[in-house]
Amino acid sequence: MDMNEFLASNGVTLFLAALVILAVWKAVRIVPQSEKHVIERFGRLRAVLGPGINFIVPFLDRVAHKISILERQLPNAEQDAITKDNVLVKVETSVFYRILEPEKTVYRIRDVDAAISTTVAGIVRSAIGEIDLDEVQSNRQRLIDQIKAQVAYAVEDWGIEVTRAEILDVNLDQATRDAMLQQLNAERARRAQVTEAEGRKRAIELRADADLYAAQKAAEARRVSADAEAYATGVVAKAIAQNGLEAAQYQVALKQVEALTAVGQGSGKQTIIVPANAIEAFGDAFKMLAGKRGTGA
């Protein structure tokens, strides 16, 4: 039996076998881990196939869309915005997202990237318009969180998850930069003047504290001297009370001798004027001292 006869006699069987093989090949769908496949039947959504081996009805179901579920990054976009204090800024943003529900994405929005970019631009302008320029610079993370939350809410119906939103840069025009530089220099000058004034004030306070401390110590010294003088006076008074006029004369004579001795010990050439009764005072003092020593002996 030649080939023609074999095909003629077994043509139907071969056709059925080929049809079965084709049906099996169309019924089995292997989906990669990074994708999801949207299945349609007669133009309507039938199912969404996840990663792995899947089975569909051959010749009735077809893979209408192959959607990557990997995280995507939108091209960096720059849009103008006006802050609350009427300063024009150019904000450069970047958004990362991924598709979670392909059936919503393919049937509710045509151009996902363009739609998200437009949404981000509007939200950025609105968010920056509510704050001053200083807050844009100092509270950037709070602004990023606000933009991310609003974008995520806006694209939720598209089956999309916004994973990250970043403000890459905030640019100002040259006139605004010059004005800010002048303001910064003025603030630095003000701080320097304040620091210098505080330094002078502190120096005055320290000098005042030093003067007060010196006055306190001087007062304490005078008090100690007064206490000593009072004690000495008390001793002399007690001696006078016990020994009468002789003790008083002895103290006066002793002071005269000490005074004349101190005058005589001066350095250099000098002229000492001695009262007429100085010799008598010395004599009386020596006599009294000799008497005291004799008494003591």
Side-chain angles (χ1 to χ4, degrees), residues 15 37 85 88 94 106 108 112 133 150 208 210 224 236 250 279:
F15 175 75
H37 291 181
D85 50 353
L88 178 63
S94 178
V106 298
R108 292 187 179 181
V112 178
L133 178 61
Q150 293 183 4
V224 171
V236 172
Y250 171 77
I279 303 300

Side-chain angles (χ1 to χ4, degrees), residues 220-237:
E220 291 178 1
R222 287 196 298 270
R223 184 170 62 251
V224 171
S225 177
D227 292 342
E229 190 69 25
Y231 176 76
T233 302
V235 171
V236 172

Side-chain angles (χ1 to χ4, degrees), residues 110-129:
R110 180 181 296 275
D111 190 340
V112 178
D113 289 354
I116 296 178
S117 298
T118 302
T119 302
V120 170
I123 291 175
V124 168
R125 291 191 183 99
S126 176
I128 291 182

